[in-house]
């Protein structure tokens, strides 16, 4: 950041121009979605699930969120199972990784045809994000932007594009950002994943950043984050899972560890990991990896959310679960149901832009 005090030693028009350039740069520079100057960190807050939900009667907005690494496989039956038969939610968010070249959007639209329409999409080869809303929901949209960011590599050539796609939407006066990502694989690449989170967060929507734009009230990250269970061998981990003691593995979860250290996702929330690790399965079954790698089962697939001002928006998580009946991929989809309630008596939302991660 330039020191504006330099103007004191400058004279005439040259000094004024230098001051104006410094002031302009200061105003236009987008704040990082990750605040490197935070004195303390909270890590990821684990929240319980309130199973009782009467949808819109006590909430201003109900959101169903699904993330799934498809491993290049798809069938209409799986898509129908993904969507489900109960459609009382307002917004339906679908983030897909390693999506096949088939027209996934068409299958989603067929499955949702009776209740929801497409509001927005962001795609980057096999990395896809869709937002659906009720048939009259276009009346409630004031803004919709999309962006994407690739983190390179050869993944795109083999149908495994890494990076993130994002949708920013103002719906019912709630400014939200949805980010669907696919980060680097392998247990030892923790630092790479941390860097990718930071880089994605800095890059999304930065090209057209407007310091006077409405702030983001709710940010939701979903995807195959690829953080692993580390520090335990595969057989002891599988024994715990088989005995329904998999919650003991959360202390070995790299994502929670890195957040606790203040590296990523500061101030975000996640539901309790009561479901079994979602990777890696033998495709077509519910049996964990029996290849020569016999990978340690891990919660690679996650949904995280952050409320910028909890006094103005109350968020209630009504479900957080894996969809174990879907067998076609080596990942199980993860579904979350989040409801938002505005505090009508509160003052207007803070007019301060923020970035999506703040360690």
């Amino acid at each position: 950041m330039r020191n504006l005090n330099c103007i004191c030693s400058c004279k005439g028009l040259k000094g004024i121009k230098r001051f104006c350039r410094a002031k302009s740069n200061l105003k236009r520079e987008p704040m990082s979605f990750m605040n490197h100057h935070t004195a303390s960190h909270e890590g990821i807050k684990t929240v319980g699930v309130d199973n009782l939900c009467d949808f819109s009667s006590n909430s201003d907005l109900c959101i169903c969120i699904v993330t799934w690494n498809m491993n290049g496989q798809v069938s209409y039956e799986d898509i129908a199972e993904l969507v489900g038969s109960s459609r009382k939610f307002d917004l339906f968010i679908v983030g897909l990784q390693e999506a096949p070249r088939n027209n996934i959007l068409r299958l989603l639209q067929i499955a949702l045809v009776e209740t929801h329409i497409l509001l927005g999409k962001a795609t980057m080869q096999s990395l896809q994000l869709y937002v659906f809303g009720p048939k009259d929901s276009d009346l409630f949209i004031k803004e919709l932007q999309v962006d994407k960011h690739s983190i390179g590599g050869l993944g795109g050539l083999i149908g495994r594009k890494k990076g993130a796609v994002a949708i920013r939407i103002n719906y019912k006066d709630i400014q939200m950002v949805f980010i669907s990502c696919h980060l680097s694989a392998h247990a030892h690449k923790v630092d790479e994943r941390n860097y990718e989170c930071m880089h994605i967060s800095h890059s999304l929507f930065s090209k057209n950043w407007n310091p006077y734009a409405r702030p983001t009230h709710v940010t939701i990250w979903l995807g195959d984050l690829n953080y692993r269970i580390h520090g335990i061998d595969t057989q002891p981990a599988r024994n715990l899972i088989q005995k329904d003691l998999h919650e003991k593995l959360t202390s070995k979860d790299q994502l929670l560890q890195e957040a606790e250290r203040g590296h990523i996702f500061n101030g975000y929330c996640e539901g309790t990991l009561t479901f079994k690790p979602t990777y890696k399965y033998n495709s077509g079954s519910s049996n964990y990896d029996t290849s020569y790698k016999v990978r340690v089962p891990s919660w690679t697939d996650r949904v995280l959310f952050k409320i910028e001002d909890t006094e103005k928006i109350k968020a209630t998580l009504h479900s957080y679960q894996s969809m174990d009946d879907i067998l076609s991929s080596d990942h199980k989809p993860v579904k979350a149901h989040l409801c938002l309630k505005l505090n009508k008596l509160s003052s207007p939302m803070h007019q301060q832009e923020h970035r999506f991660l703040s360690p």
Side-chain angles (χ1 to χ4, degrees):
M1 186 180 296
R2 296 184 61 178
N3 185 354
L4 299 187
N5 292 330
C6 68
I7 190 66
C8 297
S9 60
C10 300
K11 295 182 180 180
L13 184 60
K14 183 178 180 181
I16 294 173
K17 286 182 177 179
R18 182 177 298 177
F19 173 78
C20 291
R21 284 197 302 270
K23 186 175 180 180
S24 176
N25 290 340
L26 190 65
K27 182 174 68 174
R28 291 178 184 173
E29 181 181 356
M31 295 174 62
S32 171
F33 293 153
M34 293 199 276
N35 185 356
H36 297 279
H37 307 293
T38 302
S40 62
H41 63 272
E42 308 170 60
I44 294 173
K45 179 182 178 182
T46 299
V47 298
V49 168
D50 181 356
N51 292 316
L52 298 176
C53 178
D54 52 6
F55 295 92
S56 58
S57 61
N58 284 328
S59 302
D60 292 294
L61 185 63
C62 284
I63 311 170
C64 182
I65 307 141
V66 175
T67 180
W68 186 23
N69 183 318
M70 303 180 74
N71 194 29
Q73 307 297 318
V74 67
S75 70
Y76 177 73
E77 290 72 23
D78 284 345
I79 295 296
E81 180 74 18
L82 204 70
V83 169
S85 57
S86 177
R87 316 251 181 89
K88 295 181 180 179
F89 44 77
D90 297 297
L91 297 181
F92 184 60
I93 315 300
V94 186
L96 303 173
Q97 308 85 44
E98 297 186 26
R101 294 184 178 181
N102 308 57
N103 194 341
I104 305 299
L105 175 57
R106 181 177 61 85
L107 295 179
L108 285 166
Q109 288 174 316
I110 292 172
L112 289 161
V113 65
E114 295 181 359
T115 56
H116 287 68
I117 61 172
L118 179 70
L119 300 182
K121 66 176 182 177
T123 62
M124 185 170 61
Q125 297 181 29
S126 61
L127 191 54
Q128 303 177 7
L129 176 64
Y130 302 103
V131 174
F132 292 88
K135 291 188 175 182
D136 62 347
S137 55
D138 53 338
L139 302 174
F140 301 110
I141 298 175
K142 292 185 178 179
E143 176 189 359
L144 195 150
Q145 300 177 17
V146 302
D147 202 1
K148 59 186 177 182
H149 181 74
S150 171
I151 53 177
L154 300 176
L157 299 179
I158 58 175
R160 298 177 181 178
K161 188 69 175 178
K162 298 296 197 299
V165 290
I167 296 176
R168 185 205 298 266
I169 184 172
N170 184 318
Y171 186 83
K172 291 187 175 180
D173 286 327
I174 302 175
Q175 192 79 19
M176 295 172 286
V177 172
F178 301 100
I179 302 169
S180 177
C181 69
H182 192 187
L183 305 182
S184 289
H186 308 301
H188 65 277
K189 292 193 175 182
V190 179
D191 290 339
E192 286 90 334
R193 287 189 282 275
N194 290 350
Y195 172 78
E196 289 161 4
C197 283
M198 297 277 288
H199 198 54
I200 289 167
S201 183
H202 278 269
S203 300
L204 289 175
F205 301 110
S206 61
K207 293 179 181 178
N208 299 312
W209 183 76
N210 179 2
Y212 306 108
R214 290 173 60 89
T216 301
H217 305 139
V218 181
T219 305
I220 297 177
W221 277 69
L222 57 147
D224 180 357
L225 277 69
N226 250 325
Y227 287 89
R228 307 301 175 93
I229 291 172
H230 190 60
I232 185 172
D233 291 336
T234 187
Q235 199 54 54
R238 294 180 188 213
N239 290 340
L240 288 173
I241 295 169
Q242 189 173 15
K243 296 175 183 177
D244 286 329
L245 297 174
H246 42 274
E247 288 186 52
K248 293 181 179 292
L249 295 172
T250 57
S251 63
K252 307 289 187 182
D253 179 72
Q254 291 176 335
L255 177 61
L256 297 178
Q257 289 174 346
E258 294 303 300
E260 182 64 28
R261 293 175 181 135
H263 296 159
I264 49 172
F265 291 111
N266 185 49
Y268 275 72
C269 297
E270 183 184 25
T272 306
L273 293 169
T274 58
F275 51 88
K276 296 177 181 180
T278 54
Y279 176 82
K280 175 181 170 106
Y281 287 88
N282 293 331
S283 297
S285 77
S286 288
N287 300 320
Y288 284 114
D289 181 25
T290 57
S291 72
Y292 72 96
K293 293 184 178 180
V294 286
R295 295 172 180 84
V296 179
S298 297
W299 287 289
T300 55
D301 311 278
R302 312 289 274 267
V303 176
L304 309 171
F305 65 93
K306 184 174 184 179
I307 309 301
E308 181 63 14
D309 192 332
T310 55
E311 292 185 1
K312 293 176 172 58
I313 297 181
K314 178 184 177 182
T316 304
L317 187 66
H318 290 290
S319 70
Y320 190 45
Q321 59 193 8
S322 60
M323 305 183 70
D324 296 338
D325 292 335
I326 294 180
L327 306 177
S328 56
S329 175
D330 55 355
H331 291 252
K332 299 298 183 186
V334 171
K335 177 181 282 190
H337 174 200
L338 184 69
C339 286
L340 306 177
K341 179 71 175 177
L342 299 178
N343 181 358
K344 305 297 184 182
L345 300 179
S346 64
S347 58
M349 298 287 181
H350 294 311
Q351 298 303 307
Q352 177 182 341
E353 182 64 277
H354 73 286
R355 287 301 195 199
F356 305 133
L357 295 176
S358 11

